[in-house]
Amino acid sequence: MSNLPWCIIGDFNDLLSQADKRGLHPHPNWLCSGFQDVVAECNLTDIPLEGHPFTWIKSRGAEHMIEERLDMSLADPNWLHIFSVAKLTNLVATHSDHSPILLCCDPVDNRQTRRSFRFENWWLQEEEVVDVVENS
């Protein structure tokens, strides 16, 4: 375990739930439970997938076609805080059984914006400027 923010992405070759599969034969519940336990133990969150809900296909176009969400991105709370607007998108694949997934993340800048002081020469033309500077 690390204290650093972390995110992992890729083909996990397993399913978090039965909802991650469409087609013949349900995924064994004990495998889903085991994967869920590991994800929970590592304090990770599944980043929601936008677009088509499945990333892997077998027997495309056949009567017994199977689709599963094997590819995903998991992140810990520290990472999700930094990249709170992260989006995981399922892209189109025409020649592979896996769809590419794209993780877009723009970090949130929690620092306050500091304006740097800039002196304007025209201030010297104001009569009160000397008094303001002296009083400050």
Side-chain angles (χ1 to χ4, degrees):
M1 297 299 290
S2 171
N3 291 330
L4 295 173
W6 60 297
C7 175
I8 51 179
I9 183 171
D11 177 2
F12 288 85
N13 263 342
D14 211 346
L15 306 178
L16 280 171
S17 74
Q18 293 298 333
D20 291 338
K21 180 173 183 171
R22 182 186 330 176
L24 300 173
H25 312 294
H27 196 66
N29 283 326
W30 64 272
L31 285 175
C32 290
S33 295
F35 191 24
Q36 290 169 2
D37 290 347
V38 170
V39 169
E41 184 177 328
C42 294
N43 197 22
L44 297 173
T45 299
D46 180 20
I47 297 174
L49 183 65
E50 296 184 359
H52 189 67
F54 306 104
T55 61
W56 176 82
I57 189 166
K58 181 178 180 185
S59 304
R60 185 186 311 264
E63 181 180 306
H64 54 279
M65 179 176 76
I66 298 172
E67 291 182 290
E68 296 179 341
R69 181 177 178 215
L70 299 177
D71 306 271
M72 62 189 75
S73 183
L74 306 169
D76 78 336
N78 294 328
W79 191 93
L80 290 169
H81 177 72
I82 296 168
F83 301 100
S84 61
V85 294
K87 290 185 179 183
L88 185 65
T89 305
N90 192 357
L91 304 175
V92 177
T94 56
H95 293 25
S96 176
D97 57 350
H98 282 269
S99 299
I101 56 176
L102 176 65
L103 180 61
C104 293
C105 41
D106 292 321
V108 175
D109 187 1
N110 292 328
R111 296 173 292 169
Q112 292 180 351
T113 304
R114 294 183 183 171
R115 295 183 185 175
S116 59
F117 175 79
R118 298 187 197 274
F119 182 82
E120 299 286 344
N121 284 327
W122 65 267
W123 290 345
L124 296 173
Q125 297 172 9
E126 298 292 324
E127 292 178 17
E128 304 89 36
V129 76
V130 174
D131 293 335
V132 171
V133 171
E134 286 176 354
N135 292 334
S136 297

